[in-house]
Amino acid sequence: MSQAVETLTPPSAADLAEDIKSTWAAHVLREQSAPSKTNYIYASRYSPCLRRMVYEMTHGDQQVPFDADTIAKFRRGNDRERDLVSDLAKVGRDCDYPFDIVSQQERFELRDRKGRVAIVGRVDARLRYRWGAGYPVEVKSWSVFLTEGIREFDDLFLNRWTLRGAYQLLMYLLGAGEPLGFILLDRSGLPDLIPVELNDKNLSRAETFLSRAEKALDHKDAGTLPDFISDTEECHMCPFFGSVCQPPLKYSPVEIISDPEGEQILERWSELRDGALEYNRLDKQLKARFRPRAKIPVKTLLGRFLLRGSWGKLTKYEIPVEIKEQYKTVDAEGVFRLRVEKI
Amino acid sequence: MSTQTKIKEIEDDFLDPDEPQPQPAPTGALAKREQTAPVPQSLAELAAMKGEALEVVQARIQVLETLRRAAIKTTNPEDWLLFRDKREGRVVGYLQDCGCERVRDLYGIRIFDVQEPIKKESSDGTYVYIIRGSGYCALTRKAVPDIEGGRSSQDDFVEHLEGLQKELYVRKAARANLDGNITRELAGLNSVPQEELEQAWKGTSKKIEHCRKGKGFGSSVERDGADLEVMDGINQSDLPICPKCQAPTKYVPAGVSKKGKRYQAFLACEERECNWTMNFAKWKKDFLEKKEKKEQEQKPPEEAQSPNKDEAPPLPMEEPPF
């Protein structure tokens, strides 16, 4: 080794950046705690697959650990949740109905009918009002793609990721016997506070989770396993798939039909498609180009084209959002989208 | 039980009339061929159809061809591993396990009778996980019994892992391999000509150049297309010592990391615990410049031009003859 390294030129900016990034990832990974077995179900671990809930307890230590990027996302979420609770405490002092933030990160336990600790969790905070109530608050800092469509508590049940947060809060309400609580939802702007009442519908949901946890505990105690779930998508998202659990997979094939008329329509549709797209683009361009100020009509000759434009009546109903909300219904299957691809 | 008998049994099981069939589309004009009428399976059945047989066969070919193109179109170039036959130059694509997941839904693949993975250990501490299962294609009504999938603790993707974590990854990958093997077998995507891939991706941003390259495309660095920083002009003894731990350093050629990130050739400390590295091109440039400078300095100063004493004196010019 003839050359002393001290005399070398310093590394490039890219090399330095790469060095910092890889060390950062290693630093984040060091903070990860090893997954372990438990004797109960975590409140945040509701699953439509009962077998998975059993595995969470019996094989909890046999989960593939998260990568550095995912752990970093969790860290960011935790930091954000802490900030939101801190802001909430300040806001609470100035509200018309002032409240204090109490019992932060308080452990919660819910026992089943056999007296076993079935569901365990940690309540992010409680809002303590003058009248003595301590309403639980669950703070969630999910991806904006998940939170964009959430307007009310029921919306949380439409997605498999947000569903768990919804069940988590219901467990806190059921466990503490509180009639209401809140999901504090982080957003890119102001956070949203979604109220939740333990009405009949939500009570039934909460009891479903408790009863599933009880069944999972029964299996754990008996050393048995529930049947496989027949939801391939759920299986592929399960941390036990392939390592501990080997379920059968079932995909339904494409449906093959014979419909000469439909085929003709599709062929013609395919021929016209590109032209139609261009027509729509030009039509928009044209209308924007020759749109005058309000009340001024258009009567123009351009080359071989005569353009005539006039203003007509437009009726609008400016309905306040709160009124509009009262008439809102959500049908998860209400919209049909058809994507046609020529192979 | 013979394989053929088992295949027949599986096919009969799946053709159980009690099994709920998908409901026909609501429009009356759509006559579902596949579900409502029994599809002729054997040559004898086709022969019994006489003139219609050819139509049935052609319809089947069209369905399978369209489906195959649709399946390839669903996949990404990164899902394919290309192999080149060195003698004939023919290039074929192998659909990797991750890509198989995308096509299962089209073919209606079913994977069942999956057994617990079996660990087979070697005396050197390495191990493989083998897992068996059977498959069925609801579209072609073909079955493949007792297919095997497996992965080893020596595979590249678990090289950086140890203990239980490594074992979990190997086990999961073995299952993915089983599912992949069944899918490839039933969908016929084991070996797809390059031209077919290009044809299916025509008009999309998917390009054959983005596929991973395997056997027949040179060394791992060459097939990754990375710049080869050769050690040209540099001897092993020229390499620096590590500034961190004073250990020898080594040359690592350019390549692609496990995460798919390209990296340039670099120098790395040979000590396992030490993480010192340096870009090789930069070091080489610096080293060669310094070497040249040093050689210049060691050269003796050039003397002033003087007539050489040993040189014979120029001949006197001959006098002109006149």
Side-chain angles (χ1 to χ4, degrees), chain B residues 269-275:
Chain B
C269 180
E270 284 193 1
E271 199 59 48
R272 277 183 76 88
E273 302 297 311
C274 182
N275 58 1

Side-chain angles (χ1 to χ4, degrees), chain A residues 14-213:
Chain A
D15 287 344
L16 290 173
E18 196 51 49
D19 175 41
I20 295 170
K21 272 166 28 184
S22 59
T23 314
W24 200 314
H27 166 74
V28 167
L29 278 173
R30 272 198 295 274
E31 284 189 4
Q32 187 179 27
S33 54
S36 58
K37 294 178 186 178
T38 57
N39 290 318
Y40 38 76
I41 307 284
Y42 284 115
S44 58
R45 296 287 176 91
Y46 172 85
S47 171
C49 175
L50 193 59
R51 198 176 175 100
R52 176 174 173 170
M53 286 166 72
V54 176
Y55 279 138
E56 299 264 9
M57 293 186 282
T58 58
H59 292 73
D61 55 339
Q62 294 194 32
Q63 294 180 62
V64 172
F66 296 111
D67 60 12
D69 209 41
T70 310
I71 301 169
K73 280 179 192 159
F74 290 156
R75 271 172 57 125
R76 178 189 283 265
N78 290 340
D79 292 349
R80 190 71 197 121
E81 284 168 19
R82 218 167 21 241
D83 289 350
L84 285 173
V85 173
S86 161
D87 281 352
L88 187 64
K90 289 171 199 159
V91 169
R93 291 197 282 269
D94 299 333
C95 282
D96 289 344
Y97 302 104
F99 60 83
D100 291 323
I101 293 285
V102 294
S103 312
Q104 281 187 55
Q105 297 300 321
E106 189 184 56
R107 186 183 158 90
F108 146 91
E109 278 183 9
L110 189 61
R111 289 178 183 273
D112 66 2
R113 276 166 292 191
K114 293 177 184 168
R116 297 171 295 188
V117 176
I119 296 173
V120 164
R122 215 169 269 279
V123 184
D124 283 334
R126 285 183 190 277
L127 307 189
R128 174 76 66 206
Y129 279 94
R130 257 180 248 162
W131 51 90
Y135 303 134
V137 180
E138 183 54 35
V139 189
K140 289 292 174 201
S141 178
W142 286 315
S143 149
V144 283
F145 300 111
L146 284 179
T147 53
E148 250 173 16
I150 299 171
R151 294 282 172 273
E152 58 190 16
F153 187 64
D154 278 358
D155 293 340
L156 293 167
F157 290 89
L158 299 176
N159 180 289
R160 68 175 79 231
W161 300 110
T162 54
L163 172 106
R164 292 176 152 211
Y167 274 109
Q168 191 179 355
L169 182 63
L170 289 180
M171 285 300 104
Y172 298 156
L173 295 181
L174 187 70
E178 289 290 353
L180 60 96
F182 303 93
I183 293 255
L184 180 58
L185 209 58
D186 188 22
R187 288 182 189 277
S188 54
L190 273 176
D192 200 0
L193 199 68
I194 296 176
V196 187
E197 283 180 24
L198 199 59
N199 52 25
D200 288 348
K201 192 177 173 185
N202 286 332
L203 185 63
S204 154
R205 283 168 169 161
E207 279 170 351
T208 304
F209 186 10
L210 181 60
S211 125
R212 287 173 68 77

Side-chain angles (χ1 to χ4, degrees), chain A residues 341, chain B residues 73 75 77 197-207:
Chain A
E341 204 178 355
Chain B
K73 207 170 177 180
T75 62
L197 295 178
E198 283 171 332
Q199 188 62 34
W201 291 334
K202 209 172 173 180
T204 70
S205 59
K206 298 173 183 180
K207 299 273 175 287

Side-chain angles (χ1 to χ4, degrees), chain B residues 223-288:
Chain B
R223 60 188 182 228
D224 285 335
D227 292 335
L228 261 179
E229 279 290 349
V230 286
M231 286 275 283
D232 194 22
I234 308 281
N235 296 320
Q236 190 69 30
S237 58
D238 291 332
L239 296 183
I241 53 162
C242 172
K244 262 183 155 178
C245 65
Q246 311 303 312
T249 59
K250 63 179 177 187
Y251 167 77
V252 182
V256 178
S257 73
K258 287 196 184 80
K259 288 182 181 172
K261 211 170 154 186
R262 288 180 187 283
Y263 58 84
Q264 293 178 323
F266 64 95
L267 294 176
C269 180
E270 284 193 1
E271 199 59 48
R272 277 183 76 88
E273 302 297 311
C274 182
N275 58 1
W276 180 85
T277 57
M278 184 178 199
N279 181 287
F280 178 72
K282 271 184 180 301
W283 174 84
K284 185 178 158 186
K285 190 180 165 214
D286 189 65
F287 171 77
L288 291 176

Side-chain angles (χ1 to χ4, degrees), chain A residues 1 5 7 18 241 259, chain B residues 30 111 172 239 241 261 290:
Chain A
M1 302 291 144
V5 172
T7 63
E18 196 51 49
F241 174 72
D259 177 14
Chain B
L30 307 183
I111 295 157
K172 275 178 105 68
L239 296 183
I241 53 162
K261 211 170 154 186
K290 283 184 179 159

